[in-house]
Amino acid sequence: MGIRGLMSFVEDHSNEFFTDLKLRDTKIIIDGYALFHRLCFNSNLELRYGGDYDSFADVVQKFFESLFACNIRPYVVLDGGCDISDKKLTTLKDRAREKIQTAHSLSLGGGGYVCPLLIREVFIQVLIKLQVCFVQCFSEADRDIMTLANHWNCPVLSSDSDFCIFDLKTGFCPLNSFQWRNMNTIKGTQYYIPAKCFSLDAFCRHFSNMNKALLPLFAVLCGNDHINLPIMETFLSKARLPLGATNSKGRRHHRVLGLLNWLSHFDNPTEALDNVLKYLPRKDRENVKELLCCSMEEYQQSQVKLQDFFQYGSYVCPDALNLGLPEWVLVALAKGQLSPFISDALVLRRTFLHTQVENMQRPNAHRISQPIRQIIYGLLLNASPHLGNVSWNALPPQPLAFSEVERINKNIKTSIVGAVELVKDHSDLSKLTELSLGRRQILLLETLKVKPTILEPIPTSLKLPIAVSCYWLQHTEAKAKLHHLQALLLGMLMGPLHAIINSPGKEDLQEDGAKVLYEEFQRVKEQTRLGTRLDLDTAHIFCQWQCCLQMGVYLNQLLSTPLPEPDLTRPSAFNTLNDLWRLYNGSLVHGLCQQLLASTSVENLLRMCPKAKQLYEHLFNATRSYAPAELFLPKVKSTSKKKRQKIQGTNWSKNRMGTTSHPGCWYEGSNRFGLLMVENLEEHIEACQLE
């Protein structure tokens, strides 16, 4: 949730409100949402190119390895979908607008932080690989985290100021003072992580030994993500709150200080609430009281017992049970096998489409994957009769309608999208898992408009990404060029190359070739990070591909994975991709695009590693079947239309046959990689301008 100004206030009083810890030999409950954002934003990761997921995965792995070294047993708790009451909708929309502005700033070379689209999926995969226990709550996780931490008598790790309000037995450790990169030792043998722990007792002592039970009222009066009543400004303006400090920090935290000092004069929440209402018009008092009391309940004990999930695999959430959702859906949500996107669509019939660093002048990148979402919505239509009781305020009375909050230019808009009405066998969500593997696979591939035979030569765990790429290529709005496709497919080789290098028993020559190619890719990636200007059109095209992949993964999950997701257990180089985070690296594919536009050919890159060359050939042949024909036609840019027509008339007709009659251009028409090398001066200048 978050309380405005509270975290900076307590950090300004660190010596008073925090105690130093040497954290080791303990369980710890981790706010997963806060953690993956902190690791993404505070690790010097490149955020302009749509996700350097391998670098992020390395950071996450190092974080948990530090915990393991100190015998700290982590339990990660992730937020789920939006609350059924939808009380946070205004806050979510405000944040969506802020994210658009930040993404726009990044796209123009400015600063800011926007999580890449697939960061949550990568985070969960790393947790699975490291065998870290985690759960995905049905909605917001704060109360469940507090309840579990008190049950196990262990600290909470988060950056959410709400944990300064919860009465935690063992305290709350803020992420920004959790020094996991600076492990230390006791007597040279036992490792620990230096940390600070917030003391609620010290906090209350500072404010005249105020009653802890008053803090939830403070939170809702100060304003959190769930409540923001304009009428409360009436109370704040009339109450003449005692500031209690006159320095600049005190003035900056005027509201926090004033409310805490004012509340400290009351014995209990009832007395304080009655005094708040006295400042309001009589006609508003009952409604305001009800809203405040309801919001204060968010700081009370949760009915969900996460310890049962971690010990027995049983997740029981009263709110979810009351909706009558299929058991398999509830289990899959708790295990992170279905995304919060699915629960939002299922319960609220509304989803948020997250903005990426894309071209704000073009329609948002998610538009290309709307047909996949419409199939997802169709599968979710008839989940439970109890969902009829949920308020769908955002929707007109259309039984097949879902709403999507999406970017329009540099603002947000709620668009109404129709679900695809599916055949009877596919319209009952409770029986979806009973369908045969073949039928589920057919539904997935028909949605992606891909024939199964195309995928036969493709390694098992690359089938879904290649099917998604075929879908992406078929949409003219993607505007993908040959070098975009080539760069994307080359990027997919990172996983297999990593597997070759790390697999025992390989021939030295083959391993050496894989190492050289892998190192070349790393060089391209690093060179791109060092200040290459972002090509907005290229960024938008790859954002569209990621949107297709995201929805392809979500549909695949909803259908109980008829196409395998990346396998995290087997090391075989070409039977598995290994990890999702090696499927796409933004800095690498953007850098490869620049090289392919300039002078490098795919064939030159891959000549050192025959295995990689063979795999690339399979990937390219599968995708080219669905690419528009013009993708493979040579093009020459010229300021003179007549000159361009002359060049095309005299030379390109021969070049399509694979000859090289024009001295400045070479098109290898019969080459199985679809190579295009255009080296005249005008194209070279244009490539430099793109940089």
Side-chain angles (χ1 to χ4, degrees):
M1 290 181 279
I3 298 147
R4 299 181 190 101
L6 179 58
M7 186 57 75
S8 62
F9 172 74
V10 298
E11 287 175 344
D12 282 350
H13 294 76
S14 177
N15 292 335
E16 298 171 67
F17 301 151
F18 289 88
T19 57
D20 291 326
L21 285 184
K22 296 179 178 179
L23 208 63
R24 62 185 178 88
D25 302 326
T26 181
K27 292 178 179 176
I28 191 168
I29 313 303
I30 299 177
D31 177 349
Y33 180 89
L35 177 61
F36 74 70
H37 277 80
R38 172 73 57 169
L39 295 180
C40 180
F41 296 157
N42 285 38
S43 302
N44 195 32
L45 300 181
E46 177 55 68
L47 300 175
R48 293 178 301 157
Y49 297 108
D52 285 2
Y53 294 116
D54 56 346
S55 300
F56 172 72
D58 288 342
V59 172
V60 176
Q61 180 160 328
K62 289 173 183 174
F63 173 85
F64 284 105
E65 286 173 349
S66 294
L67 299 190
F68 300 151
C70 301
N71 194 31
I72 298 171
R73 300 177 299 285
Y75 293 84
V76 176
V77 183
L78 291 158
D79 289 328
C82 297
D83 190 273
I84 297 171
S85 66
D86 224 9
K87 55 194 171 189
K88 204 174 173 178
L89 179 58
T90 300
T91 299
L92 291 173
K93 287 185 174 181
D94 288 342
R95 288 181 180 170
R97 292 187 186 94
E98 291 170 5
K99 184 181 284 187
I100 289 169
Q101 297 305 318
T102 305
H104 179 57
S105 172
L106 282 166
S107 72
L108 299 179
Y113 300 100
V114 173
C115 268
L117 191 66
L118 301 173
I119 206 82
R120 182 189 179 102
E121 281 68 38
V122 170
F123 180 68
I124 287 175
Q125 280 208 343
V126 180
L127 296 181
I128 294 170
K129 178 180 181 181
L130 299 178
Q131 298 183 338
V132 174
C133 296
F134 75 95
V135 64
Q136 180 174 272
C137 295
F138 188 67
S139 56
E140 198 164 76
D142 290 1
R143 291 173 67 194
D144 298 344
I145 290 173
M146 178 266 290
T147 305
L148 178 62
N150 281 343
H151 178 80
W152 278 346
N153 200 27
C154 64
V156 168
L157 183 63
S158 179
S159 57
D160 192 332
S161 56
D162 278 304
F163 290 104
C164 296
I165 304 299
F166 289 120
D167 190 4
L168 293 162
K169 293 178 182 178
T170 317
F172 152 55
C173 297
L175 274 161
N176 62 356
S177 56
F178 188 74
Q179 300 179 53
W180 64 273
R181 288 185 172 95
N182 300 312
M183 284 190 300
N184 216 323
T185 60
I186 299 173
K187 298 178 181 178
T189 56
Q190 296 176 316
Y191 286 98
Y192 69 85
I193 294 175
K196 290 186 179 294
C197 185
F198 177 75
S199 169
L200 192 61
D201 290 333
F203 183 72
C204 289
R205 277 198 305 271
H206 183 82
F207 293 98
S208 307
N209 290 314
M210 74 181 296
N211 184 351
K212 293 179 185 178
L214 289 161
L215 290 176
L217 179 58
F218 156 73
V220 298
L221 291 176
C222 199
N224 61 21
D225 289 349
H226 285 169
I227 188 165
N228 184 21
L229 292 175
I231 199 170
M232 294 316 300
E233 297 300 324
T234 304
F235 155 70
L236 293 168
S237 63
K238 292 181 178 180
R240 295 184 180 179
L241 303 178
L243 184 58
T246 56
N247 57 24
S248 60
K249 289 182 179 179
R251 288 192 294 273
R252 182 159 59 93
H253 297 116
H254 184 284
R255 179 173 294 197
V256 171
L257 270 169
L259 279 170
L260 288 168
N261 281 313
W262 184 80
L263 285 168
S264 67
H265 293 95
F266 300 103
D267 291 330
N268 57 65
T270 303
E271 181 187 353
L273 184 55
D274 288 342
N275 273 271
V276 170
L277 297 174
K278 287 178 183 178
Y279 292 95
L280 305 181
R282 290 185 181 275
K283 63 182 179 63
D284 296 319
R285 290 178 185 176
E286 280 305 312
N287 285 338
V288 171
K289 182 178 181 180
E290 185 179 347
L291 283 169
L292 291 176
C293 288
C294 181
S295 295
M296 289 165 63
E297 289 177 6
E298 294 296 328
Y299 296 93
Q300 303 306 312
Q301 188 96 350
S302 169
Q303 292 179 285
V304 178
K305 297 179 179 178
L306 290 183
Q307 62 270 23
D308 289 346
F309 177 82
F310 287 123
Q311 291 170 347
Y312 313 116
S314 170
Y315 180 83
V316 179
C317 173
D319 286 342
L321 290 176
N322 291 338
L323 294 173
L325 298 175
E327 177 67 19
W328 78 266
V329 172
L330 296 178
V331 171
L333 285 169
K335 291 182 176 180
Q337 295 167 349
L338 289 176
S339 164
F341 173 91
I342 297 296
S343 58
D344 282 347
L346 190 56
V347 175
L348 299 171
R349 286 203 181 180
R350 188 207 60 235
T351 57
F352 276 79
L353 306 179
H354 296 291
T355 300
Q356 304 170 78
V357 182
E358 55 192 82
N359 189 340
M360 300 294 170
Q361 303 303 314
R362 292 177 60 181
N364 80 74
H366 290 278
R367 286 292 179 93
I368 193 173
S369 58
Q370 188 181 90
I372 306 177
R373 293 196 299 279
Q374 289 178 290
I375 295 294
I376 292 174
Y377 299 152
L379 291 168
L380 300 178
L381 270 177
N382 301 309
S384 165
H386 299 283
L387 288 174
N389 299 324
V390 177
S391 175
W392 293 323
N393 296 326
L395 297 173
Q398 301 177 40
L400 301 183
F402 286 70
S403 65
E404 296 180 338
V405 182
E406 61 175 346
R407 178 186 67 80
I408 301 292
N409 297 320
K410 285 184 278 185
N411 208 332
I412 62 168
K413 177 185 177 183
T414 301
S415 303
I416 305 303
V417 175
V420 171
E421 196 165 5
L422 301 169
V423 296
K424 186 176 180 181
D425 287 350
H426 297 156
S427 62
D428 187 347
L429 187 63
S430 64
K431 297 181 179 178
L432 192 58
T433 54
E434 298 174 14
L435 292 177
S436 68
L437 173 63
R439 294 181 69 183
R440 287 181 282 119
Q441 194 173 94
I442 287 171
L443 177 56
L444 175 65
L445 293 180
E446 284 184 348
T447 302
L448 299 177
K449 301 176 182 178
V450 175
K451 295 178 180 178
T453 52
I454 292 295
L455 301 177
E456 287 176 1
I458 305 301
T460 303
S461 61
L462 277 175
K463 289 182 187 295
L464 180 59
I466 290 300
V468 164
S469 300
C470 293
Y471 171 91
W472 168 69
L473 286 168
Q474 292 176 72
H475 285 259
T476 54
E477 63 190 273
K479 299 181 180 178
K481 303 293 191 296
L482 180 60
H483 62 280
H484 296 131
L485 174 60
Q486 291 173 325
L488 184 65
L489 299 181
L490 286 170
M492 291 184 190
L493 302 180
M494 285 291 278
L497 288 171
H498 185 269
I500 290 175
I501 295 168
N502 291 280
S503 294
K506 295 293 179 184
E507 297 175 6
D508 290 342
L509 185 62
Q510 178 177 303
E511 185 177 325
D512 288 346
K515 278 183 180 178
V516 173
L517 182 56
Y518 191 83
E519 288 167 2
E520 172 63 15
F521 282 170
Q522 292 289 1
R523 187 194 65 78
V524 171
K525 174 184 168 182
E526 289 305 313
Q527 188 176 10
T528 307
R529 279 175 52 90
L530 292 176
T532 305
R533 184 180 176 183
L534 182 67
D535 179 345
L536 273 182
D537 287 332
T538 293
H540 201 85
I541 287 165
F542 288 132
C543 283
Q544 290 173 317
W545 181 82
Q546 283 206 67
C547 291
C548 296
L549 180 64
Q550 182 190 47
M551 290 304 151
V553 167
Y554 290 173
L555 177 58
N556 192 50
Q557 290 175 340
L558 190 58
L559 294 171
S560 300
T561 60
L563 289 183
E565 290 187 31
D567 190 328
L568 297 169
T569 56
R570 294 177 297 172
S572 174
F574 291 101
N575 291 328
T576 174
L577 178 62
N578 272 358
D579 309 303
L580 176 60
W581 56 86
R582 292 194 179 91
L583 177 64
Y584 178 85
N585 181 285
S587 295
L588 174 62
V589 296
H590 277 258
L592 287 169
C593 275
Q594 294 296 331
Q595 288 207 2
L596 292 167
L597 271 174
S599 60
T600 306
S601 72
V602 176
E603 195 163 48
N604 284 339
L605 273 173
L606 297 181
R607 70 182 188 278
M608 62 193 77
C609 185
K611 275 283 187 181
K613 184 177 180 182
Q614 182 183 31
L615 176 58
Y616 177 88
E617 180 179 330
H618 288 314
L619 303 184
F620 185 82
N621 286 338
T623 52
R624 76 177 299 168
S625 306
Y626 292 90
E630 58 266 25
L631 196 76
F632 306 104
L633 294 179
K635 295 179 181 179
V636 174
K637 306 274 185 183
S638 172
T639 54
S640 168
K641 184 177 180 181
K642 288 183 178 180
K643 181 179 177 183
R644 181 169 67 250
Q645 290 173 337
K646 182 180 178 182
I647 292 172
Q648 290 174 337
T650 58
N651 296 303
W652 290 129
S653 58
K654 294 181 180 179
N655 286 344
R656 289 191 190 102
M657 301 304 294
T659 62
T660 56
S661 58
H662 191 275
C665 306
W666 172 50
Y667 175 66
E668 195 173 25
S670 62
N671 191 289
R672 58 193 173 189
F673 299 132
L675 303 179
L676 176 60
M677 295 177 63
V678 182
E679 297 178 339
N680 63 55
L681 182 60
E682 287 175 301
E683 286 234 352
H684 180 68
I685 292 172
E686 183 183 13
C688 292
Q689 289 172 337
L690 287 172
E691 294 178 357

